[in-house]
Amino acid sequence: MTSIADEARLAVGNLVDFATGLATPSVRLGVTGLSRAGKTVFITALVHNLVHGGRLPVFDAMAQGRLARAHLDPQPDDAVPRFDYEAHVEALIGKNRRWPESTRQVSELRVTLEYESATFWGRNVGPGRLHLDIVDYPGEWLLDLPLLGQSYAEWSARAVSLSRAAPRDKPAAQWHAFLATLNPDAAEDEAAARQAASLFTEYLRACRDERFSLSALPPGRFLMPGDLENSPALTFAPLDVAPDARAERGSLMAMMERRYEAYKSVVVKPFFRDHFARLDRQVVLVDALQALNAGPSAIADLEAALTEILACFRPGRSSWLSRILMRRVDRIVFAATKADHLHHRSHDRLEAILARIVQAAAERAAFAGADVDVVALASVRATREATVRRGRETLDCIVGTPQKGQRIAGETFDGQEEIAIFPGDLPADPESVFQHSESIFEVPESVSEDEAEAYRFVRFRPPPLQRTAEGLSLSLPHIRLDRTLQFLLGDRLA
């Protein structure tokens, strides 16, 4: 995916990073996930719990009292926007309690951890400090990396073929109608290119709707163009051509192909070179529940997207030499988010389903020498569990506050009232989620399918901070954030 010049530039950058980290080592942690997976909330909760000494019993350095303190420091990359941690914390715990804005660009934050090693050698010789450089980037941009290995004709043929299969065919209908009028060998036409790009973007946006919850939607910048909006590099679309088609000079296909290559040069390669290829460890957040709600087609699409994404990683066992020449991602966490939307009895099942979805990618990473973990987590737990009696039956429920204005089963909520919900149980067999069925979730006889479906897309408000005997707790409640931290950093703080 990269040229010799790119690799040389990467090696120089790695050498600089290695030299500057001799006094205080650093770990570059990439955090990504597809739309609505909760990247911003994850980073905010992780940093907040580290800085404020949150409840992290499985995180050894904190549980054993070896983490003296964690604090924010200026980030090392001056050209990268800073992750707006303070604003995101205010959104979560402020008076109006709301979820922070989604990731729209690459951002970075440095947290410095001061700790005491658990070993005699580490206590007396080790630095006792570790920089954690968190790199936040949209998962949609990650979907672009496979494009580096595809020609325009190959990408076009695949994109058109996918769009003609259910459930993509319905949202693609308007684009398909216009596509049928385009002749790839006709003279280049700016108006046609703009119309095709606009309709193709609308198709991608419709596929992301929760009714379909599809994941494989490159090019990622079409859905979040930023300062490239309306530029030629974002004004192209697939044409109905064979994978080995050749463009005639001056043709519409030649125009599209040129802009596709410009997109890779201007957007994809700089992201790979300046950010992605410099990572040491990676968290991939997955909104598996959204895909499960949408059905088997969304799950299969998510599996394909994650397999393609993770084929772009450079997994392997890290060493001092690899940190100089070619960085390797030596630990990868796949995290199924929003575990607080399920009763804890289904958490193991959610992990098993995600493990099945990422099986092929995880096996490849493990074979290359990387350690892989799969976890069901909630970065900020918005619900609590309760038991409700219905007739002779006892139901295990979750209790939370729906967001203001949300309409559920004919009732509109004001953002203040708590409700108890029976979320359903996930199936014990992970393979069953790929089979066509009316409902993936298992519900008892006393709960109708219509009633269960009405609560399937509930969005809860962030929880209020808990009050203790000493006053207001600064610890954001979570599910398995400590286990995730231990896997990612435990060995570097040992």
Side-chain angles (χ1 to χ4, degrees), residues 369-390:
D371 293 322
V372 179
D373 191 22
V374 177
V375 61
L377 67 77
S379 306
V380 174
R381 183 172 188 166
T383 67
R384 54 187 172 84
E385 294 184 351
T387 301
V388 175
R389 292 193 62 84
R390 175 172 290 188

Side-chain angles (χ1 to χ4, degrees), residues 129-450:
R129 286 164 56 91
L130 178 71
H131 292 316
L132 176 61
D133 295 325
I134 303 173
V135 182
D136 174 33
Y137 60 94
E140 286 77 6
W141 295 12
L142 201 59
L143 290 168
D144 286 343
L145 294 181
L147 301 183
L148 293 175
Q150 299 175 24
S151 68
Y152 171 74
E154 291 170 336
W155 170 72
S156 285
R158 184 168 185 270
V160 172
S161 176
L162 283 173
S163 70
R164 286 174 173 161
R168 293 172 180 263
D169 54 339
K170 291 183 179 179
Q174 192 173 1
W175 169 51
H176 282 166
F178 185 73
L179 179 64
T181 68
L182 299 179
N183 179 4
D185 296 326
E188 59 182 40
D189 184 337
E190 179 67 30
R194 293 179 66 85
Q195 180 71 358
S198 175
L199 291 173
F200 181 64
T201 302
E202 288 305 313
Y203 150 69
L204 295 179
R205 187 170 288 113
C207 285
R208 196 171 62 173
D209 184 88
E210 65 183 14
R211 293 172 299 166
F212 305 108
S213 294
L214 299 175
S215 304
L217 303 173
R221 281 292 185 97
F222 276 43
L223 296 176
M224 44 179 64
D227 56 1
L228 291 176
E229 189 169 9
N230 296 321
S231 68
L234 265 65
T235 311
F236 67 91
L239 292 172
D240 194 0
V241 296
D244 58 352
R246 301 289 181 182
E248 298 290 335
R249 183 187 296 270
S251 66
L252 178 63
M253 181 179 173
M255 179 186 191
M256 296 287 199
E257 184 176 56
R258 184 175 66 249
R259 294 181 174 186
Y260 172 81
E261 294 299 330
Y263 180 85
K264 292 199 293 184
S265 297
V266 174
V267 175
V268 186
K269 275 195 173 183
F271 166 67
F272 177 85
R273 181 184 63 237
D274 298 337
H275 305 288
F276 186 75
R278 296 175 58 204
L279 299 176
D280 300 308
R281 296 187 174 178
Q282 178 69 53
V283 176
V284 182
L285 303 175
V286 182
D287 188 357
L289 290 180
Q290 189 79 7
L292 290 169
N293 285 331
S297 58
I299 297 166
D301 194 76
L302 176 61
E303 179 186 31
L306 290 174
T307 300
E308 282 197 5
I309 285 172
L310 294 161
C312 300
F313 280 102
R314 294 182 168 188
R317 198 161 301 281
S318 180
S319 67
W320 67 269
L321 185 60
S322 67
R323 294 190 193 114
I324 298 176
L325 299 178
M326 183 186 293
R327 260 186 158 117
R328 296 289 184 184
V329 178
D330 61 354
R331 294 202 174 193
I332 303 173
V333 173
F334 300 102
T337 58
K338 304 177 184 176
D340 56 335
H341 285 52
L342 297 171
H343 192 268
H344 74 268
R345 294 183 312 177
S346 283
H347 289 180
D348 288 347
R349 296 182 177 188
L350 181 59
E351 287 186 6
I353 290 170
L354 181 58
R356 168 59 185 85
I357 291 173
V358 302
Q359 181 178 350
E363 287 177 352
R364 174 185 173 273
F367 180 79
D371 293 322
V372 179
D373 191 22
V374 177
V375 61
L377 67 77
S379 306
V380 174
R381 183 172 188 166
T383 67
R384 54 187 172 84
E385 294 184 351
T387 301
V388 175
R389 292 193 62 84
R390 175 172 290 188
R392 297 182 178 180
E393 199 167 17
T394 300
L395 302 179
D396 291 323
C397 299
I398 58 173
V399 179
T401 305
Q403 292 181 359
K404 184 178 181 179
Q406 187 164 3
R407 189 173 179 81
I408 305 169
E411 182 179 355
T412 302
F413 288 84
D414 60 3
Q416 304 297 323
E417 180 184 358
E418 283 192 334
I419 61 172
I421 295 173
F422 177 76
D425 293 325
L426 292 176
D429 179 13
E431 290 293 337
S432 66
V433 303
F434 291 90
Q435 301 167 4
H436 291 271
S437 60
E438 293 183 1
S439 177
I440 289 174
F441 290 85
E442 301 170 354
V443 297
E445 293 182 359
S446 61
V447 179
S448 69
E449 286 291 343
D450 290 341

